[in-house]
Amino acid sequence: MILRYTILYVTDVASSLDFYERAFALTRTFLHESGDYGELSTGETRLAFSSVALMTQLGKTPGKPNPKAPVFEIAFETDDVKAAFDRAVAAGAKPIQEVRDEPWGQTTSYVADPNGYLVEICSPVQLPSAG
């Protein structure tokens, strides 16, 4: 079993793809001709977007994301958290937490995308050795 993709429910798939391309330098791999579904390459796992309209047609009722009361977050790892945070904000992300060094040795920051999804921008975590 592998994690193939994570899907965010959004009002406008194309504009969401555009934002993530500009904010996080991701590469668009697919946008369906209907505009209701698209994907970005993020390595082994894809970040995907589906329209709220399509989900409603399929009998689902997606909730609205709230960065102040998130039920999950997306995390992007980088060696330059400050530059990535600044790029995301310049692309239209809302700053939630400025860049800071955490007690466990990681640098973190948070933004909200234009849809309200919480996105962490962080440095790699230095896990303790198993040995």
Side-chain angles (χ1 to χ4, degrees), residues 104-115:
W104 54 88
Q106 186 182 35
T107 302
T108 65
S109 66
Y110 285 88
V111 298
D113 79 1
N115 300 294

Side-chain angles (χ1 to χ4, degrees), residues 25-118:
L26 300 178
T27 302
R28 183 181 309 204
T29 57
F30 178 73
L31 175 59
H32 189 270
E33 63 188 31
S34 68
D36 283 323
Y37 182 83
E39 294 181 352
L40 296 164
S41 175
T42 62
E44 292 291 320
T45 303
R46 294 183 210 81
L47 180 58
F49 300 86
S50 183
S51 71
V52 171
L54 176 60
M55 290 298 99
T56 302
Q57 290 171 12
L58 297 174
K60 297 176 177 64
T61 309
K64 294 193 183 298
N66 181 347
K68 293 185 187 257
V71 295
F72 75 96
E73 66 186 58
I74 300 167
F76 291 115
E77 185 179 285
T78 180
D79 290 328
D80 192 342
V81 176
K82 175 73 171 127
F85 177 84
D86 291 344
R87 177 183 178 146
V89 171
K94 178 182 174 189
I96 301 296
Q97 176 203 296
E98 296 288 330
V99 177
R100 73 178 185 209
D101 293 326
E102 302 293 357
W104 54 88
Q106 186 182 35
T107 302
T108 65
S109 66
Y110 285 88
V111 298
D113 79 1
N115 300 294
Y117 287 105
L118 186 64

